[in-house]
Amino acid sequence: MRFVLVFLLTLLAGSFSLPSAASAQDAALDDAVFGFAGRYVNAYIEGSLVPISARYEDNFVLGGGYQKFVAEPLTDLHMGLEAGLALRGGNIVSGEAWLGAVARYDGFHLGENLRISPAITVGLSAVTNPIGIEAERAQRRNADPSLLFFMAPEIAVSTVDNPDIELFYRVQHRSGAWGTLGGMADGANAQVIGMRYRF
């Protein structure tokens, strides 16, 4: 697992030196830092997307990360990398680190001053130990959830006048993708609310 994490961090560091495709795109490329807090949901991913219908665990997550956007293949579509760390707690304490590719679209507006930006991050997530429903699922399958796939669908809201600060809602999802990693199916799902600063 250490080799995988070192490899992913090396890949992330190398991507910061990628040249942009065209100088006209430089204004669209950006960086961002973010923080969030939320609770884990006692459900599979499909039951974890809508806050009002979720069944919550007693476990929480506090986390943050960094995004580096390196390409704009279409107008308002930004692609890059995301790395993050989180503290998972409740009945026991656990740490998480993830790295993935992120894509976001900034072309939706609500009225004249509100921008809605859907995004998704996909990659790999490593934890020190499982908690909550993830630990139960690992025990039932005799599986190892230490390293799983990571996905984070997200909706961010910002104002046109101040696009550097945004609020977002996302689901932090870990999964073995039908047994592909660690013998796990669904791992853990957390609903989080956060704030991001783009620069």
Side-chain angles (χ1 to χ4, degrees), residues 103 164 186:
D164 298 340
D186 207 329

Side-chain angles (χ1 to χ4, degrees), residues 121-189:
T121 303
V122 292
L124 293 173
S125 162
V127 295
T128 56
N129 51 282
I131 65 173
I133 191 69
E134 183 177 65
E136 294 175 20
R137 290 169 177 160
Q139 187 176 27
R140 283 198 304 262
R141 296 176 66 98
N142 194 25
D144 179 11
S146 300
L147 180 67
L148 296 179
F149 294 110
F150 173 81
M151 181 177 70
E154 172 188 305
I155 295 288
V157 178
S158 61
T159 62
V160 174
D161 295 337
N162 189 16
D164 298 340
I165 303 291
E166 60 186 24
L167 299 175
F168 65 86
Y169 165 79
R170 77 192 298 184
V171 173
Q172 295 275 109
H173 169 67
R174 303 184 74 239
S175 170
W178 304 282
T180 306
L181 277 182
M184 288 287 290
D186 207 329
N189 300 288

Side-chain angles (χ1 to χ4, degrees), residues 76-152:
D76 292 324
L77 177 63
H78 307 283
M79 302 185 76
L81 295 171
E82 175 181 302
L85 296 171
L87 173 68
R88 312 182 328 152
N91 51 0
I92 59 172
V93 175
S94 172
E96 179 182 8
W98 70 90
L99 177 67
V102 58
R104 64 176 280 149
Y105 182 70
D106 290 326
F108 295 128
H109 291 83
L110 189 61
E112 295 183 2
N113 199 38
L114 203 61
R115 184 178 68 184
I116 310 295
S117 300
I120 189 165
T121 303
V122 292
L124 293 173
S125 162
V127 295
T128 56
N129 51 282
I131 65 173
I133 191 69
E134 183 177 65
E136 294 175 20
R137 290 169 177 160
Q139 187 176 27
R140 283 198 304 262
R141 296 176 66 98
N142 194 25
D144 179 11
S146 300
L147 180 67
L148 296 179
F149 294 110
F150 173 81
M151 181 177 70

Side-chain angles (χ1 to χ4, degrees), residues 45-94:
I45 179 65
E46 62 272 14
S48 303
L49 297 173
V50 182
I52 57 174
S53 65
R55 294 174 294 141
Y56 294 99
E57 294 184 6
D58 292 331
N59 298 307
F60 68 88
V61 60
L62 299 172
Y66 172 74
Q67 294 176 328
K68 174 75 173 181
F69 290 94
V70 296
E72 187 181 3
L74 300 171
T75 303
D76 292 324
L77 177 63
H78 307 283
M79 302 185 76
L81 295 171
E82 175 181 302
L85 296 171
L87 173 68
R88 312 182 328 152
N91 51 0
I92 59 172
V93 175
S94 172

